[in-house]
Each structure stands twice: as structure tokens, then as C-alpha cells.
Amino acid sequence: MNLHVPSLEETPSREEAEAALDVLRRFTDEAPEAERGALEAAVTSLLPAAGYPVLNRDYPSDFSVDSVYKEGLPDLQNGPASLIVGAKAAIQHVGISNFRLPIGYHTRDNGDLTLETSVTGTVSLEAEKKGINMSRIMRSFYAHAERTFSTDVICAALDDYKSDLDSFDARIMMRFSFPMKVESLRSGLSGYQYYDIALELVDLGGSRQVFMHLDYVYSSTCPCSLELSEHARATRGQLATPHSQRSVARVSVEVLSGRTLWFEDLVELCRKAVPTETQVMVKREDEQAFAELNAANPIFVEDAARSFCEQLDADERIGDFRVVASHQESLHSHDAVSVLTRGPSFEAASLDPRLFSTLFHVG
């Protein structure tokens, strides 16, 4: 092949450049690897922008995807075990957290409510699998989100993504703020109290459990401080007030199969155990009543845990349970806390180091 090589003063034509490229291709087909590498480096250095190709920077709004194109898309997350980073170990939970959407709920007293809900969905992952397709969890949930939610619908969503992701264990948790109208103690006013509630469905090896979690906020008057205040009044005529503080109990219960435990039911169980729930609408007569109610129910954090336990133990709809209580002291610069569990579902040798810090409720 006769190849005209332009002089330094000449500008090569397109045909001459294409001919040169053809020579390079034939050379690289037969040249040893070391020579190809050296030539590749030399050619790359001649290209503008350090060898980066010139790409289209305009969004292709008219581009459409067909089935053939989709089949050709890379899918690293569902790749072979050879792509696994780190130990080839099973993962107990992998999925999504705080995926939000509106969901309908049945209530005992107010019909159906649609509430903004934060969803956590996880599945187990076998040691030889690279990963899961996170969007499948969201898609399976959306498939049922238009229906009024019940345990049966949660089960259907869990069935979908457990099947889609070929997993042996799975769970769904839905967190929301549940409104209940509460009457004042004496004035006849009423207002909405909002309760942080979570529903959780757990499937371990085909065995399922349903859990309900509730944060119950109440006032706790220290019995010791109450007695000391009364002693000062009685012996020295000294005005003194006992210390009390906003307190929180996170009550988690297993709802036994075939039983119905309404959100309102669990709230009322907590009120029966510790009646000094914080108030919504308050006039002077209500404030005085609340002071009297606290004086009639002084409570240490140990007393609170055992009072909740007494009510939960007596309810035949409830299986295993856990009570985590925090009295956020007005006397001390630290809090008083307690944890009481019943049954294997909530037994734990170790606690989340920040568990109690999640119990703060601000107005």
C-alpha cells in the first residue's frame, strides 16, 4: 500500500488520516502486546482533553427505551458472586429506610385515615449474592398503597418483594403520627394528641409476627421529692414543690395472630398504667387538676416500667413485649431509664448506644 505522508507544512486530508488509522489497526492486530501498549500511550497523548471522547451534553428528551435496550443495560447489583466486595457473608437486613408515601389506616373510633407514612423495608441477603434491587421494594409497596391498609395488605406487600428478591427473611415497618382527640381534665375543652406509632411485620423463615410500637408521653412526679416537699411544709412551714418532668415510654408489643389491637387500645392501656399523660388544651382548672393527678400518681422510672408491664401482661391480644422508659429529669443533669422485656422477641444482651436519646419528644 502506497501511503502519502504529508510534509510538516501540509494539512493532512481526511482520506490520508483514515488511511493512517487503517495502518494502525492492522499493526495492532499483529504487533506484540508490549508494542501495542507503547503505541496506544503515544496515540492517546495526541488526543485532546487527555483522551476523553467528545460526548453529547444535551439531554436526549426524545430518546425512548425498548425491551432490547433494557436487556442490554448493566446490572452490577445483581451481578455474580465474584463482584462481592469484602467477606462473602450473609446480611440479615438490607433494604430501604424512610421511603415516604400516604397510606390509609382503619381506626377504631374515626373510620379510615390517610396518613403520611415512613416505610422501612428489608430482606435478608445470602452470602453468595452480590446485592438486591432496592427499587423493587418500593414498587411492591406502591402496588398496594392505594388500598386501605391492614395487616393482610402489609402481608401482600411483603409477599411481593420477598418473592421478587428471592429472599428467605423479610420485614416491613411503617411509622406515622396518629391523631386522637383528647378531652381536658376539667374545662370540657378537647384537642388532638399525636402519637408516634409504628407497625412492623417480620417474616423469619416463613414464620410471621406482627408488632406495634408506641411512644407514650407523660409527666412523672418523683415520689421522693414529693415526700421531702411535704416534710418541709409540715415541719417548717416551708413552701416546697416536688420535681416532675416530661417522660417517654416506648411500648412495643407483639399482636397475636387472629387478634385485633387498635391503635386507640394500646394508647388506653398506657393511660391506664400511667394516667399522667401530657395535656393538649389547658385552662386554669385543668392545670390545677393535672397537679392533683400528678400528686395522686407519683412514680419512679422503675414503677412506670412495671405499671406498663401489668397492663400488657393482662391483655390476651398481646404476646411478647418491651417497655423502654425515660424520665428526663428536672432535678438531675442526666435521665432515669429502665428497660423491661417479656418473651424472646425483645430479649437483647446489648442495647443501641443511642436508644434513650431517641426518646426525646419536643413540642
Side-chain angles (χ1 to χ4, degrees):
M1 175 181 179
N2 293 323
L3 179 65
H4 169 69
V5 180
S7 67
L8 294 177
E9 290 79 17
E10 295 180 274
T11 301
S13 67
R14 179 183 179 87
E15 290 76 13
E16 289 170 333
E18 289 178 348
L21 283 174
D22 184 59
V23 172
L24 285 172
R25 291 191 191 99
R26 288 190 286 122
F27 173 80
T28 54
D29 286 342
E30 301 177 3
E33 184 175 351
E35 290 189 32
R36 289 202 307 270
L39 184 61
E40 181 180 349
V43 172
T44 300
S45 67
L46 297 175
L47 297 176
Y52 286 105
V54 178
L55 301 177
N56 180 21
R57 300 178 67 88
D58 296 325
Y59 175 71
S61 57
D62 57 347
F63 178 72
S64 60
V65 176
D66 58 22
S67 58
V68 175
Y69 185 86
K70 286 191 286 187
E71 284 295 321
L73 290 171
D75 189 4
L76 179 63
Q77 193 70 345
N78 292 301
S82 60
L83 297 177
I84 291 175
V85 176
K88 287 185 173 61
I91 300 177
Q92 286 73 36
H93 302 283
V94 59
I96 60 172
S97 177
N98 200 31
F99 162 53
R100 296 161 61 191
L101 73 170
I103 291 178
Y105 295 90
H106 290 307
T107 72
R108 188 191 68 185
D109 300 335
N110 294 305
D112 292 346
L113 294 177
T114 298
L115 302 172
E116 179 185 305
T117 301
S118 169
V119 176
T120 294
T122 64
V123 295
S124 57
L125 183 64
E126 296 175 35
E128 296 301 316
K129 291 184 178 179
K130 166 66 176 172
I132 69 166
N133 188 326
M134 301 280 183
S135 67
R136 289 186 184 180
I137 296 176
M138 298 166 63
R139 294 200 303 271
S140 63
F141 223 88
Y142 262 109
H144 302 278
E146 297 299 323
R147 299 162 58 183
T148 300
F149 250 72
S150 65
T151 303
D152 291 340
V153 181
I154 302 174
C155 286
L158 187 142
D159 283 338
D160 282 357
Y161 77 71
K162 187 177 177 185
S163 173
D164 287 346
L165 300 171
D166 190 24
S167 179
F168 48 89
D169 293 337
R171 73 176 59 213
I172 291 175
M173 179 180 285
M174 304 186 303
R175 294 187 296 109
F176 49 92
S177 183
F178 179 68
M180 281 179 64
K181 186 164 280 190
V182 178
E183 288 193 4
S184 299
L185 294 173
R186 286 181 180 153
S187 67
L189 298 175
S190 63
Y192 280 102
Q193 190 84 275
Y194 284 83
Y195 299 91
D196 287 347
I197 292 179
L199 288 179
E200 183 180 20
L201 175 63
V202 178
D203 186 310
L204 299 177
S207 178
R208 293 190 172 179
Q209 290 177 286
V210 176
F211 299 100
M212 188 186 302
H213 308 269
L214 164 70
D215 280 10
Y216 179 73
V217 186
Y218 58 99
S219 174
S220 58
T221 294
C222 174
C224 181
S225 181
L226 178 59
E227 288 193 357
L228 292 172
S229 297
E230 290 304 304
H231 180 273
R233 289 171 183 259
T235 61
R236 296 185 287 115
Q238 176 62 48
L239 179 63
T241 59
H243 78 86
S244 59
Q245 50 274 320
R246 183 180 294 181
S247 304
V248 182
R250 182 163 296 154
V251 177
S252 301
V253 302
E254 176 193 14
V255 182
L256 294 176
S257 178
R259 308 296 176 90
T260 299
L261 182 71
W262 296 100
F263 307 138
E264 296 95 330
D265 293 338
L266 187 54
V267 171
E268 288 174 359
L269 283 172
C270 291
R271 284 184 191 152
K272 189 173 181 180
V274 179
T276 52
E277 181 180 18
T278 55
Q279 301 294 295
V280 182
M281 300 292 286
V282 175
K283 297 181 73 174
R284 283 181 297 172
E285 58 267 39
D286 300 311
E287 187 167 356
Q288 185 181 64
F290 193 63
E292 295 171 11
L293 184 63
N294 272 268
N297 295 275
I299 192 169
F300 291 121
V301 74
E302 301 94 330
D303 302 324
R306 288 170 173 153
S307 295
F308 289 118
C309 175
E310 181 179 33
Q311 295 301 318
L312 301 176
D313 255 339
D315 196 303
E316 62 184 11
R317 297 168 293 181
I318 293 173
D320 296 350
F321 61 82
R322 177 183 60 211
V323 177
V324 182
S326 175
H327 289 191
Q328 292 148 24
E329 296 275 351
S330 62
L331 169 65
H332 302 290
S333 57
H334 55 265
D335 303 328
V337 297
S338 65
V339 178
L340 187 155
T341 68
R342 179 78 83 238
S345 298
F346 296 104
E347 289 178 352
S350 174
L351 292 177
D352 180 343
R354 297 190 176 275
L355 170 64
F356 298 110
S357 66
T358 67
L359 292 173
F360 283 86
H361 278 240
V362 296

